[in-house]
Amino acid sequence: MAEVKIACPKCDWEPQPSDHWGCTCGHSWHTFDTGGRCPKCGKIWEDTQCLGAWAGGCAQWSPHLEWYRNLDEWLKDEIEKIRTKELTPVI
Ligand SMILES: [Zn+2]
Ligand SMILES: [Zn+2]
């Protein structure tokens, strides 16, 4: 099975585990852990922004699913499950 790689569709920048994205609710988290869904307020980000030049990225927005390379159907389902599951409160 091909390994899934996460990279910006526009510039090929690859997110590091230490990278974080900010939500409009003020929460920041690693967006690829949750399929683009804010774990605090539950907002689903259909598009994900590449981090800016300071992180080596292009700062452009792309559909979240386009970030996954070699994405299999089963993984699409997994991401969909993450996005639609009940929220557990963030401590
Ligand atoms: Zn939020
Ligand atoms: Zn980029």
Side-chain angles (χ1 to χ4, degrees):
M1 190 189 301
E3 197 182 331
V4 175
K5 177 176 136 177
I6 296 172
C8 172
K10 300 208 163 79
C11 74
D12 281 337
W13 173 79
E14 294 178 37
Q16 301 303 308
S18 56
D19 291 322
H20 284 80
W21 284 258
C23 180
T24 45
C25 74
H27 187 66
S28 82
W29 83 110
H30 191 74
T31 192
F32 294 99
D33 283 347
T34 60
R37 186 187 200 195
C38 173
K40 187 159 190 199
C41 71
K43 178 179 166 74
I44 293 173
W45 291 81
E46 294 295 343
D47 297 320
T48 294
Q49 187 181 23
C50 188
L51 294 189
W54 55 271
C58 66
Q60 296 192 71
W61 291 83
S62 308
H64 187 79
L65 288 178
E66 287 188 9
W67 282 73
Y68 299 87
R69 310 289 172 88
N70 305 319
L71 190 60
D72 288 326
E73 284 305 316
W74 69 267
L75 188 59
K76 262 183 203 162
D77 288 347
E78 288 303 305
I79 295 169
E80 209 48 48
K81 267 185 226 160
I82 295 169
R83 283 154 69 106
T84 51
K85 80 175 179 190
E86 290 296 311
L87 277 181
T88 44
V90 175
I91 299 141

